[in-house]
Amino acid sequence: MATSEMMLSLGLIEKDVNADTLWVWCYPSISADLREVLLRKCCLPLNNQVLHTFVFGQYCRTWYYITTVEVQEPTALKKVTHFSVVITAKDFNPEKYAAFSRVLCRTYIKHGSPVKMMECYIAVLTKGICQSDENGSFLIKDYDVRKAYLAGSLKDVVSQFGMETIILYTALMLKKRVVVYHPRIEALLEVTRALPGLVWHRKDWSILHPFVHLDDNELENLKLCTGYVAGFVDPEVRDRSDLFDVYVNLSDSEITVSQNAKEAMAMGKLHKEIGNFIVQAAEDTDCTDAQVIKDISGKTKEILSNLMSLVDEAENSKLTLETLKQRHYPPATENFLFHLAAAEQLLKI
């Protein structure tokens, strides 16, 4: 699939001089349900002075990217104080859509009409490029998805949590539900987007839901996922133990394992060894974030190949607890491999 075919829709939300916030335009269409979610994400309905210039997230398997601008006089926009350009897409690539949104915003400020924005959108959709001397150019092939995956900093995560990073690694390996809290959305987006890099062998950023509100529809959608990394700016999420196996308080640098996940998440010698490995890799000043991800991925492949060798010996290529017990692993290692086999669908039920 060409990257330009990943885009689904373009929308426009405005806040006027009366402080009313409304959807004013979209192309080709956005469902009423999704419009309600996006209105909540864009920050314009909030009557505070904090402007979140760029946010992104996922809802019902659709990625959204929202760029919000304060209108500075004089422009072609009358009676509009702020507006948000919304792009929905099938792919995770914040840098790509942030760059395209900047071009769309400049176009809208200059012309004051969504028609010109639609022309840019169709040009990218059909040709992968939109060129303009005054509003800037955008070339879709400049934005490789691997760059988006590597843009988050695992080194920063390890720097903040040290050996406790092993809890995050274990949770993601076992496809557990990780909830991350921080009052500031920018900090939340920065950290949550990096976490799927701990399980690089899956290259699966669909587990990422970086900006979730405590809204019934959003939570029902989240609960349909088996494992996830979900970001919240509402501190009340800490009381919602039905939503997480691991709770990360970013502002206090604290990680808590919920009672119901403690058995699966029990730590032992293997975890300590992996934890030390992750910390040493991240602390190496000569190592880039990409190299740290590669090193952790190499360690993960060792564990998985060990698991696969057990599977190859097993009947019907499915692992049982009895097979694991015959190996006389330490209890925590046996427990981890058993739950990992379940996560990788290698377990005989």
mmCIF file of all heavy atoms in Angstrom, residues 29-74:
data_model
loop_
_atom_site.group_PDB
_atom_site.id
_atom_site.type_symbol
_atom_site.label_atom_id
_atom_site.label_comp_id
_atom_site.label_asym_id
_atom_site.label_seq_id
_atom_site.Cartn_x
_atom_site.Cartn_y
_atom_site.Cartn_z
ATOM 1 N N SER A 29 -15.341 12.265 4.667
ATOM 2 C CA SER A 29 -16.322 12.204 5.767
ATOM 3 C C SER A 29 -15.646 11.680 7.028
ATOM 4 O O SER A 29 -14.642 10.967 6.967
ATOM 5 C CB SER A 29 -17.501 11.288 5.398
ATOM 6 O OG SER A 29 -17.051 9.947 5.273
ATOM 7 N N ILE A 30 -16.210 12.052 8.175
ATOM 8 C CA ILE A 30 -15.772 11.545 9.485
ATOM 9 C C ILE A 30 -17.047 11.222 10.255
ATOM 10 O O ILE A 30 -17.958 12.053 10.319
ATOM 11 C CB ILE A 30 -14.912 12.586 10.255
ATOM 12 C CG1 ILE A 30 -13.636 12.923 9.467
ATOM 13 C CG2 ILE A 30 -14.541 12.063 11.641
ATOM 14 C CD1 ILE A 30 -12.789 14.042 10.075
ATOM 15 N N SER A 31 -17.124 10.024 10.842
ATOM 16 C CA SER A 31 -18.341 9.616 11.550
ATOM 17 C C SER A 31 -18.618 10.525 12.743
ATOM 18 O O SER A 31 -17.698 11.119 13.313
ATOM 19 C CB SER A 31 -18.220 8.160 12.027
ATOM 20 O OG SER A 31 -17.256 8.085 13.071
ATOM 21 N N ALA A 32 -19.897 10.602 13.141
ATOM 22 C CA ALA A 32 -20.291 11.455 14.272
ATOM 23 C C ALA A 32 -19.572 11.020 15.548
ATOM 24 O O ALA A 32 -19.133 11.850 16.356
ATOM 25 C CB ALA A 32 -21.805 11.391 14.458
ATOM 26 N N ASP A 33 -19.406 9.715 15.727
ATOM 27 C CA ASP A 33 -18.738 9.152 16.902
ATOM 28 C C ASP A 33 -17.284 9.626 16.968
ATOM 29 O O ASP A 33 -16.805 10.106 18.001
ATOM 30 C CB ASP A 33 -18.816 7.621 16.815
ATOM 31 C CG ASP A 33 -18.079 6.928 17.955
ATOM 32 O OD1 ASP A 33 -18.122 7.457 19.075
ATOM 33 O OD2 ASP A 33 -17.464 5.873 17.713
ATOM 34 N N LEU A 34 -16.589 9.528 15.829
ATOM 35 C CA LEU A 34 -15.183 9.939 15.787
ATOM 36 C C LEU A 34 -15.058 11.458 15.911
ATOM 37 O O LEU A 34 -14.131 11.964 16.561
ATOM 38 C CB LEU A 34 -14.525 9.441 14.499
ATOM 39 C CG LEU A 34 -13.019 9.697 14.340
ATOM 40 C CD1 LEU A 34 -12.231 9.179 15.542
ATOM 41 C CD2 LEU A 34 -12.496 9.071 13.055
ATOM 42 N N ARG A 35 -16.005 12.208 15.321
ATOM 43 C CA ARG A 35 -15.971 13.678 15.438
ATOM 44 C C ARG A 35 -16.052 14.107 16.903
ATOM 45 O O ARG A 35 -15.367 15.035 17.327
ATOM 46 C CB ARG A 35 -17.125 14.304 14.640
ATOM 47 C CG ARG A 35 -16.866 14.383 13.164
ATOM 48 C CD ARG A 35 -17.618 15.521 12.489
ATOM 49 N NE ARG A 35 -19.053 15.441 12.692
ATOM 50 C CZ ARG A 35 -19.899 14.829 11.869
ATOM 51 N NH1 ARG A 35 -19.443 14.215 10.791
ATOM 52 N NH2 ARG A 35 -21.188 14.815 12.105
ATOM 53 N N GLU A 36 -16.881 13.414 17.668
ATOM 54 C CA GLU A 36 -17.032 13.725 19.102
ATOM 55 C C GLU A 36 -15.708 13.491 19.842
ATOM 56 O O GLU A 36 -15.281 14.300 20.671
ATOM 57 C CB GLU A 36 -18.141 12.849 19.696
ATOM 58 C CG GLU A 36 -18.469 13.173 21.140
ATOM 59 C CD GLU A 36 -19.462 12.164 21.736
ATOM 60 O OE1 GLU A 36 -20.419 11.781 21.026
ATOM 61 O OE2 GLU A 36 -19.260 11.763 22.889
ATOM 62 N N VAL A 37 -15.045 12.369 19.530
ATOM 63 C CA VAL A 37 -13.750 12.056 20.148
ATOM 64 C C VAL A 37 -12.711 13.117 19.775
ATOM 65 O O VAL A 37 -11.990 13.628 20.633
ATOM 66 C CB VAL A 37 -13.256 10.646 19.718
ATOM 67 C CG1 VAL A 37 -11.814 10.409 20.174
ATOM 68 C CG2 VAL A 37 -14.159 9.557 20.288
ATOM 69 N N LEU A 38 -12.646 13.474 18.510
ATOM 70 C CA LEU A 38 -11.635 14.431 18.030
ATOM 71 C C LEU A 38 -11.857 15.832 18.594
ATOM 72 O O LEU A 38 -10.897 16.552 18.871
ATOM 73 C CB LEU A 38 -11.632 14.457 16.501
ATOM 74 C CG LEU A 38 -11.219 13.131 15.840
ATOM 75 C CD1 LEU A 38 -11.454 13.177 14.338
ATOM 76 C CD2 LEU A 38 -9.782 12.783 16.150
ATOM 77 N N LEU A 39 -13.104 16.192 18.800
ATOM 78 C CA LEU A 39 -13.421 17.491 19.411
ATOM 79 C C LEU A 39 -12.871 17.541 20.840
ATOM 80 O O LEU A 39 -12.354 18.559 21.300
ATOM 81 C CB LEU A 39 -14.945 17.693 19.414
ATOM 82 C CG LEU A 39 -15.475 19.118 19.557
ATOM 83 C CD1 LEU A 39 -14.949 20.024 18.462
ATOM 84 C CD2 LEU A 39 -17.001 19.114 19.548
ATOM 85 N N ARG A 40 -12.955 16.398 21.529
ATOM 86 C CA ARG A 40 -12.445 16.301 22.901
ATOM 87 C C ARG A 40 -10.916 16.387 22.908
ATOM 88 O O ARG A 40 -10.315 16.914 23.831
ATOM 89 C CB ARG A 40 -12.909 14.959 23.487
ATOM 90 C CG ARG A 40 -12.701 14.815 24.964
ATOM 91 C CD ARG A 40 -13.572 13.749 25.595
ATOM 92 N NE ARG A 40 -13.599 12.492 24.881
ATOM 93 C CZ ARG A 40 -14.702 11.939 24.362
ATOM 94 N NH1 ARG A 40 -15.862 12.527 24.464
ATOM 95 N NH2 ARG A 40 -14.650 10.770 23.726
ATOM 96 N N LYS A 41 -10.273 15.855 21.882
ATOM 97 C CA LYS A 41 -8.805 15.804 21.846
ATOM 98 C C LYS A 41 -8.167 17.142 21.458
ATOM 99 O O LYS A 41 -7.010 17.391 21.790
ATOM 100 C CB LYS A 41 -8.322 14.748 20.834
ATOM 101 C CG LYS A 41 -8.846 13.347 21.050
ATOM 102 C CD LYS A 41 -8.414 12.754 22.352
ATOM 103 C CE LYS A 41 -9.062 11.399 22.572
ATOM 104 N NZ LYS A 41 -8.870 10.920 23.941
ATOM 105 N N CYS A 42 -8.891 17.981 20.718
ATOM 106 C CA CYS A 42 -8.240 19.145 20.110
ATOM 107 C C CYS A 42 -7.957 20.287 21.084
ATOM 108 O O CYS A 42 -7.284 21.235 20.738
ATOM 109 C CB CYS A 42 -9.053 19.658 18.926
ATOM 110 S SG CYS A 42 -10.474 20.657 19.396
ATOM 111 N N CYS A 43 -8.500 20.228 22.292
ATOM 112 C CA CYS A 43 -8.251 21.203 23.373
ATOM 113 C C CYS A 43 -8.977 22.537 23.191
ATOM 114 O O CYS A 43 -8.999 23.356 24.113
ATOM 115 C CB CYS A 43 -6.762 21.442 23.645
ATOM 116 S SG CYS A 43 -5.947 22.612 22.521
ATOM 117 N N LEU A 44 -9.586 22.789 22.054
ATOM 118 C CA LEU A 44 -10.267 24.075 21.850
ATOM 119 C C LEU A 44 -11.518 24.260 22.708
ATOM 120 O O LEU A 44 -11.795 25.379 23.140
ATOM 121 C CB LEU A 44 -10.628 24.268 20.364
ATOM 122 C CG LEU A 44 -9.436 24.499 19.429
ATOM 123 C CD1 LEU A 44 -9.927 24.738 18.004
ATOM 124 C CD2 LEU A 44 -8.574 25.652 19.886
ATOM 125 N N PRO A 45 -12.316 23.196 22.972
ATOM 126 C CA PRO A 45 -13.489 23.402 23.822
ATOM 127 C C PRO A 45 -13.129 23.803 25.261
ATOM 128 O O PRO A 45 -13.957 24.338 25.994
ATOM 129 C CB PRO A 45 -14.206 22.042 23.806
ATOM 130 C CG PRO A 45 -13.721 21.360 22.576
ATOM 131 C CD PRO A 45 -12.303 21.826 22.417
ATOM 132 N N LEU A 46 -11.891 23.511 25.669
ATOM 133 C CA LEU A 46 -11.466 23.871 27.032
ATOM 134 C C LEU A 46 -11.209 25.373 27.086
ATOM 135 O O LEU A 46 -10.518 25.920 26.235
ATOM 136 C CB LEU A 46 -10.189 23.121 27.416
ATOM 137 C CG LEU A 46 -10.258 21.599 27.358
ATOM 138 C CD1 LEU A 46 -8.881 20.999 27.554
ATOM 139 C CD2 LEU A 46 -11.226 21.054 28.402
ATOM 140 N N ASN A 47 -11.738 26.023 28.091
ATOM 141 C CA ASN A 47 -11.558 27.480 28.185
ATOM 142 C C ASN A 47 -10.310 27.854 28.979
ATOM 143 O O ASN A 47 -10.311 28.767 29.780
ATOM 144 C CB ASN A 47 -12.808 28.125 28.803
ATOM 145 C CG ASN A 47 -13.978 28.080 27.838
ATOM 146 O OD1 ASN A 47 -13.804 28.280 26.644
ATOM 147 N ND2 ASN A 47 -15.151 27.790 28.352
ATOM 148 N N ASN A 48 -9.246 27.081 28.781
ATOM 149 C CA ASN A 48 -7.995 27.466 29.441
ATOM 150 C C ASN A 48 -7.043 28.050 28.397
ATOM 151 O O ASN A 48 -7.305 28.036 27.204
ATOM 152 C CB ASN A 48 -7.363 26.267 30.168
ATOM 153 C CG ASN A 48 -7.073 25.109 29.222
ATOM 154 O OD1 ASN A 48 -6.956 25.287 28.021
ATOM 155 N ND2 ASN A 48 -6.963 23.914 29.782
ATOM 156 N N GLN A 49 -5.934 28.539 28.861
ATOM 157 C CA GLN A 49 -5.003 29.235 27.966
ATOM 158 C C GLN A 49 -3.958 28.299 27.351
ATOM 159 O O GLN A 49 -3.146 28.724 26.546
ATOM 160 C CB GLN A 49 -4.283 30.354 28.749
ATOM 161 C CG GLN A 49 -5.220 31.408 29.309
ATOM 162 C CD GLN A 49 -6.095 32.041 28.236
ATOM 163 O OE1 GLN A 49 -5.595 32.539 27.250
ATOM 164 N NE2 GLN A 49 -7.414 31.992 28.424
ATOM 165 N N VAL A 50 -3.982 27.017 27.759
ATOM 166 C CA VAL A 50 -2.967 26.074 27.262
ATOM 167 C C VAL A 50 -3.353 25.596 25.869
ATOM 168 O O VAL A 50 -4.444 25.066 25.665
ATOM 169 C CB VAL A 50 -2.807 24.870 28.217
ATOM 170 C CG1 VAL A 50 -1.752 23.905 27.683
ATOM 171 C CG2 VAL A 50 -2.426 25.341 29.611
ATOM 172 N N LEU A 51 -2.445 25.807 24.924
ATOM 173 C CA LEU A 51 -2.690 25.390 23.545
ATOM 174 C C LEU A 51 -1.766 24.215 23.218
ATOM 175 O O LEU A 51 -0.555 24.347 23.281
ATOM 176 C CB LEU A 51 -2.397 26.567 22.606
ATOM 177 C CG LEU A 51 -2.941 26.468 21.197
ATOM 178 C CD1 LEU A 51 -4.461 26.569 21.210
ATOM 179 C CD2 LEU A 51 -2.354 27.580 20.329
ATOM 180 N N HIS A 52 -2.362 23.077 22.911
ATOM 181 C CA HIS A 52 -1.556 21.915 22.529
ATOM 182 C C HIS A 52 -1.416 21.947 21.009
ATOM 183 O O HIS A 52 -2.361 21.629 20.283
ATOM 184 C CB HIS A 52 -2.220 20.622 22.999
ATOM 185 C CG HIS A 52 -2.471 20.590 24.476
ATOM 186 N ND1 HIS A 52 -1.444 20.704 25.395
ATOM 187 C CD2 HIS A 52 -3.615 20.488 25.187
ATOM 188 C CE1 HIS A 52 -1.959 20.664 26.614
ATOM 189 N NE2 HIS A 52 -3.259 20.545 26.514
ATOM 190 N N THR A 53 -0.244 22.358 20.543
ATOM 191 C CA THR A 53 -0.079 22.618 19.108
ATOM 192 C C THR A 53 -0.189 21.355 18.261
ATOM 193 O O THR A 53 -0.641 21.415 17.127
ATOM 194 C CB THR A 53 1.267 23.305 18.827
ATOM 195 O OG1 THR A 53 2.303 22.528 19.443
ATOM 196 C CG2 THR A 53 1.291 24.716 19.398
ATOM 197 N N PHE A 54 0.223 20.193 18.823
ATOM 198 C CA PHE A 54 0.125 18.953 18.048
ATOM 199 C C PHE A 54 -0.104 17.775 18.983
ATOM 200 O O PHE A 54 0.668 17.560 19.911
ATOM 201 C CB PHE A 54 1.406 18.728 17.229
ATOM 202 C CG PHE A 54 1.363 17.479 16.387
ATOM 203 C CD1 PHE A 54 0.506 17.386 15.295
ATOM 204 C CD2 PHE A 54 2.177 16.393 16.687
ATOM 205 C CE1 PHE A 54 0.464 16.225 14.512
ATOM 206 C CE2 PHE A 54 2.150 15.232 15.918
ATOM 207 C CZ PHE A 54 1.285 15.156 14.819
ATOM 208 N N VAL A 55 -1.172 17.036 18.747
ATOM 209 C CA VAL A 55 -1.431 15.812 19.508
ATOM 210 C C VAL A 55 -1.790 14.701 18.519
ATOM 211 O O VAL A 55 -2.217 14.963 17.392
ATOM 212 C CB VAL A 55 -2.571 15.967 20.556
ATOM 213 C CG1 VAL A 55 -2.224 17.009 21.598
ATOM 214 C CG2 VAL A 55 -3.908 16.263 19.898
ATOM 215 N N PHE A 56 -1.592 13.467 18.979
ATOM 216 C CA PHE A 56 -1.962 12.332 18.132
ATOM 217 C C PHE A 56 -2.443 11.180 19.011
ATOM 218 O O PHE A 56 -2.168 11.150 20.219
ATOM 219 C CB PHE A 56 -0.786 11.885 17.247
ATOM 220 C CG PHE A 56 0.453 11.481 18.012
ATOM 221 C CD1 PHE A 56 0.634 10.179 18.460
ATOM 222 C CD2 PHE A 56 1.459 12.413 18.286
ATOM 223 C CE1 PHE A 56 1.784 9.806 19.158
ATOM 224 C CE2 PHE A 56 2.615 12.056 18.977
ATOM 225 C CZ PHE A 56 2.771 10.742 19.413
ATOM 226 N N GLY A 57 -3.156 10.265 18.399
ATOM 227 C CA GLY A 57 -3.658 9.122 19.145
ATOM 228 C C GLY A 57 -4.368 8.151 18.228
ATOM 229 O O GLY A 57 -4.321 8.274 16.998
ATOM 230 N N GLN A 58 -5.046 7.180 18.857
ATOM 231 C CA GLN A 58 -5.705 6.132 18.099
ATOM 232 C C GLN A 58 -7.074 5.851 18.700
ATOM 233 O O GLN A 58 -7.217 5.790 19.919
ATOM 234 C CB GLN A 58 -4.837 4.863 18.136
ATOM 235 C CG GLN A 58 -5.356 3.736 17.290
ATOM 236 C CD GLN A 58 -4.595 2.422 17.461
ATOM 237 O OE1 GLN A 58 -4.870 1.474 16.771
ATOM 238 N NE2 GLN A 58 -3.650 2.348 18.406
ATOM 239 N N TYR A 59 -8.055 5.695 17.863
ATOM 240 C CA TYR A 59 -9.405 5.342 18.320
ATOM 241 C C TYR A 59 -10.045 4.433 17.279
ATOM 242 O O TYR A 59 -10.082 4.770 16.091
ATOM 243 C CB TYR A 59 -10.242 6.611 18.517
ATOM 244 C CG TYR A 59 -11.680 6.336 18.924
ATOM 245 C CD1 TYR A 59 -11.971 5.889 20.220
ATOM 246 C CD2 TYR A 59 -12.727 6.506 18.026
ATOM 247 C CE1 TYR A 59 -13.286 5.628 20.604
ATOM 248 C CE2 TYR A 59 -14.040 6.248 18.406
ATOM 249 C CZ TYR A 59 -14.309 5.809 19.695
ATOM 250 O OH TYR A 59 -15.608 5.533 20.078
ATOM 251 N N CYS A 60 -10.508 3.264 17.730
ATOM 252 C CA CYS A 60 -11.152 2.293 16.819
ATOM 253 C C CYS A 60 -10.277 2.008 15.590
ATOM 254 O O CYS A 60 -10.750 2.071 14.446
ATOM 255 C CB CYS A 60 -12.529 2.780 16.393
ATOM 256 S SG CYS A 60 -13.746 2.681 17.704
ATOM 257 N N ARG A 61 -9.008 1.745 15.839
ATOM 258 C CA ARG A 61 -8.038 1.393 14.788
ATOM 259 C C ARG A 61 -7.780 2.507 13.765
ATOM 260 O O ARG A 61 -7.277 2.258 12.672
ATOM 261 C CB ARG A 61 -8.455 0.100 14.058
ATOM 262 C CG ARG A 61 -8.468 -1.120 14.976
ATOM 263 C CD ARG A 61 -8.914 -2.363 14.235
ATOM 264 N NE ARG A 61 -8.958 -3.515 15.124
ATOM 265 C CZ ARG A 61 -7.927 -4.321 15.371
ATOM 266 N NH1 ARG A 61 -6.760 -4.079 14.819
ATOM 267 N NH2 ARG A 61 -8.067 -5.354 16.186
ATOM 268 N N THR A 62 -8.177 3.715 14.102
ATOM 269 C CA THR A 62 -7.901 4.871 13.239
ATOM 270 C C THR A 62 -6.971 5.826 13.987
ATOM 271 O O THR A 62 -7.250 6.193 15.124
ATOM 272 C CB THR A 62 -9.214 5.612 12.880
ATOM 273 O OG1 THR A 62 -10.036 4.743 12.105
ATOM 274 C CG2 THR A 62 -8.936 6.878 12.094
ATOM 275 N N TRP A 63 -5.862 6.197 13.340
ATOM 276 C CA TRP A 63 -4.949 7.176 13.923
ATOM 277 C C TRP A 63 -5.440 8.582 13.605
ATOM 278 O O TRP A 63 -5.966 8.814 12.515
ATOM 279 C CB TRP A 63 -3.529 6.992 13.362
ATOM 280 C CG TRP A 63 -2.861 5.769 13.896
ATOM 281 C CD1 TRP A 63 -2.766 4.547 13.290
ATOM 282 C CD2 TRP A 63 -2.200 5.634 15.156
ATOM 283 N NE1 TRP A 63 -2.091 3.666 14.094
ATOM 284 C CE2 TRP A 63 -1.737 4.298 15.247
ATOM 285 C CE3 TRP A 63 -1.962 6.503 16.218
ATOM 286 C CZ2 TRP A 63 -1.045 3.825 16.365
ATOM 287 C CZ3 TRP A 63 -1.277 6.034 17.322
ATOM 288 C CH2 TRP A 63 -0.822 4.707 17.392
ATOM 289 N N TYR A 64 -5.299 9.485 14.570
ATOM 290 C CA TYR A 64 -5.656 10.882 14.318
ATOM 291 C C TYR A 64 -4.479 11.785 14.692
ATOM 292 O O TYR A 64 -3.706 11.496 15.614
ATOM 293 C CB TYR A 64 -6.917 11.291 15.095
ATOM 294 C CG TYR A 64 -6.821 11.113 16.596
ATOM 295 C CD1 TYR A 64 -6.196 12.073 17.398
ATOM 296 C CD2 TYR A 64 -7.337 9.973 17.214
ATOM 297 C CE1 TYR A 64 -6.092 11.905 18.768
ATOM 298 C CE2 TYR A 64 -7.232 9.800 18.588
ATOM 299 C CZ TYR A 64 -6.608 10.761 19.355
ATOM 300 O OH TYR A 64 -6.489 10.581 20.723
ATOM 301 N N TYR A 65 -4.352 12.869 13.944
ATOM 302 C CA TYR A 65 -3.269 13.844 14.135
ATOM 303 C C TYR A 65 -3.904 15.228 14.099
ATOM 304 O O TYR A 65 -4.556 15.592 13.108
ATOM 305 C CB TYR A 65 -2.220 13.689 13.021
ATOM 306 C CG TYR A 65 -1.650 12.286 12.957
ATOM 307 C CD1 TYR A 65 -2.234 11.310 12.136
ATOM 308 C CD2 TYR A 65 -0.566 11.918 13.736
ATOM 309 C CE1 TYR A 65 -1.733 10.014 12.100
ATOM 310 C CE2 TYR A 65 -0.062 10.620 13.711
ATOM 311 C CZ TYR A 65 -0.653 9.678 12.884
ATOM 312 O OH TYR A 65 -0.157 8.392 12.853
ATOM 313 N N ILE A 66 -3.734 15.983 15.184
ATOM 314 C CA ILE A 66 -4.424 17.274 15.308
ATOM 315 C C ILE A 66 -3.408 18.397 15.542
ATOM 316 O O ILE A 66 -2.649 18.371 16.515
ATOM 317 C CB ILE A 66 -5.439 17.247 16.480
ATOM 318 C CG1 ILE A 66 -6.411 16.073 16.317
ATOM 319 C CG2 ILE A 66 -6.198 18.571 16.566
ATOM 320 C CD1 ILE A 66 -7.340 15.861 17.513
ATOM 321 N N THR A 67 -3.414 19.367 14.644
ATOM 322 C CA THR A 67 -2.550 20.550 14.782
ATOM 323 C C THR A 67 -3.451 21.754 15.051
ATOM 324 O O THR A 67 -4.394 22.006 14.302
ATOM 325 C CB THR A 67 -1.723 20.768 13.509
ATOM 326 O OG1 THR A 67 -0.890 19.626 13.306
ATOM 327 C CG2 THR A 67 -0.853 22.014 13.627
ATOM 328 N N THR A 68 -3.156 22.471 16.132
ATOM 329 C CA THR A 68 -3.995 23.600 16.549
ATOM 330 C C THR A 68 -3.202 24.906 16.480
ATOM 331 O O THR A 68 -2.045 24.966 16.915
ATOM 332 C CB THR A 68 -4.533 23.366 17.975
ATOM 333 O OG1 THR A 68 -5.286 22.142 17.976
ATOM 334 C CG2 THR A 68 -5.437 24.500 18.428
ATOM 335 N N VAL A 69 -3.842 25.932 15.923
ATOM 336 C CA VAL A 69 -3.174 27.212 15.675
ATOM 337 C C VAL A 69 -4.023 28.354 16.236
ATOM 338 O O VAL A 69 -5.252 28.337 16.132
ATOM 339 C CB VAL A 69 -3.005 27.417 14.141
ATOM 340 C CG1 VAL A 69 -2.493 28.805 13.818
ATOM 341 C CG2 VAL A 69 -2.082 26.355 13.559
ATOM 342 N N GLU A 70 -3.340 29.338 16.833
ATOM 343 C CA GLU A 70 -4.018 30.572 17.233
ATOM 344 C C GLU A 70 -3.923 31.548 16.062
ATOM 345 O O GLU A 70 -2.846 31.737 15.493
ATOM 346 C CB GLU A 70 -3.351 31.173 18.473
ATOM 347 C CG GLU A 70 -4.068 32.402 18.994
ATOM 348 C CD GLU A 70 -3.482 32.913 20.306
ATOM 349 O OE1 GLU A 70 -2.457 32.378 20.774
ATOM 350 O OE2 GLU A 70 -4.056 33.874 20.851
ATOM 351 N N VAL A 71 -5.043 32.133 15.693
ATOM 352 C CA VAL A 71 -5.075 33.029 14.533
ATOM 353 C C VAL A 71 -4.527 34.402 14.929
ATOM 354 O O VAL A 71 -5.017 35.030 15.864
ATOM 355 C CB VAL A 71 -6.515 33.159 13.977
ATOM 356 C CG1 VAL A 71 -6.549 34.152 12.819
ATOM 357 C CG2 VAL A 71 -7.031 31.796 13.526
ATOM 358 N N GLN A 72 -3.509 34.835 14.222
ATOM 359 C CA GLN A 72 -2.910 36.162 14.466
ATOM 360 C C GLN A 72 -3.399 37.121 13.369
ATOM 361 O O GLN A 72 -3.325 36.798 12.192
ATOM 362 C CB GLN A 72 -1.378 36.073 14.409
ATOM 363 C CG GLN A 72 -0.765 35.019 15.326
ATOM 364 C CD GLN A 72 -0.790 35.406 16.792
ATOM 365 O OE1 GLN A 72 -1.025 36.566 17.119
ATOM 366 N NE2 GLN A 72 -0.549 34.455 17.668
ATOM 367 N N GLU A 73 -3.902 38.262 13.773
ATOM 368 C CA GLU A 73 -4.381 39.255 12.783
ATOM 369 C C GLU A 73 -3.197 39.853 12.009
ATOM 370 O O GLU A 73 -2.103 39.956 12.555
ATOM 371 C CB GLU A 73 -5.132 40.379 13.529
ATOM 372 C CG GLU A 73 -6.398 39.914 14.223
ATOM 373 C CD GLU A 73 -7.507 39.505 13.269
ATOM 374 O OE1 GLU A 73 -7.438 39.881 12.073
ATOM 375 O OE2 GLU A 73 -8.420 38.813 13.695
ATOM 376 N N PRO A 74 -3.362 40.331 10.783
ATOM 377 C CA PRO A 74 -4.586 40.180 9.988
ATOM 378 C C PRO A 74 -4.504 38.906 9.141
ATOM 379 O O PRO A 74 -3.428 38.543 8.679
ATOM 380 C CB PRO A 74 -4.560 41.425 9.095
ATOM 381 C CG PRO A 74 -3.089 41.692 8.908
ATOM 382 C CD PRO A 74 -2.370 41.176 10.136
#
